Amino acid sequence: MKKLVVYTALFSHDPDNLIYGDIIHYQHEKNINVDYVCFTNIKQLQSNIWDIRYIDEIWKDARNTSRQFKVLPQKYLPEYENWLWMDAQCYFMYDPLSLC
């Protein structure tokens, strides 16, 4: 099995101001068989766990932009065979591999 990617998206109409939430900053050990990717237009968003991928283009609105990434992982993450969407405000209590 190729690596699993857990991915999310967090976009704002005004990325220079504070956003309505932050990405979950995990406290547990990172699993080497799972990659974490966050698509965002918020330059100040940083993480030691998540691979932050900056996207400058906003489609119709921030919500629809997030949905583009949510429903088309094969387009935006073609290097993976297995994708697991996670809302930016959720926290896994279990190893994501066990969910697949």
Side-chain angles (χ1 to χ4, degrees):
M1 176 169 98
K2 288 187 180 180
K3 268 189 167 178
L4 167 69
V5 63
V6 175
Y7 69 105
T8 193
L10 188 58
F11 286 90
S12 173
H13 287 295
D14 189 3
D16 294 326
N17 288 326
L18 292 176
I19 56 176
Y20 58 87
D22 195 3
I23 195 164
I24 294 295
H25 297 282
Y26 283 104
Q27 301 299 315
H28 57 73
E29 238 179 85
K30 188 175 178 181
N31 185 329
I32 62 169
N33 295 314
V34 179
D35 289 340
Y36 294 85
V37 174
C38 176
F39 296 100
T40 188
N41 66 334
I42 303 159
K43 298 284 187 194
Q44 62 268 30
L45 191 63
Q46 297 178 357
S47 175
N48 292 330
I49 296 289
W50 295 88
D51 172 12
I52 306 295
R53 298 191 184 178
Y54 297 104
I55 308 296
D56 289 328
E57 183 180 1
I58 291 285
W59 287 281
K60 184 178 176 182
D61 57 36
R63 179 178 288 175
N64 282 318
T65 301
S66 292
R67 286 182 181 155
Q68 290 288 322
F69 293 94
K70 181 178 184 177
V71 301
L72 295 171
Q74 68 279 10
K75 178 177 179 179
Y76 299 106
L77 298 163
E79 65 271 31
Y80 298 95
E81 283 185 353
N82 302 291
W83 309 278
L84 184 57
W85 170 263
M86 185 175 77
D87 187 88
Q89 302 300 306
C90 291
Y91 185 89
F92 277 126
M93 305 272 309
Y94 303 98
D95 179 2
L97 283 176
S98 67
L99 299 174
C100 291

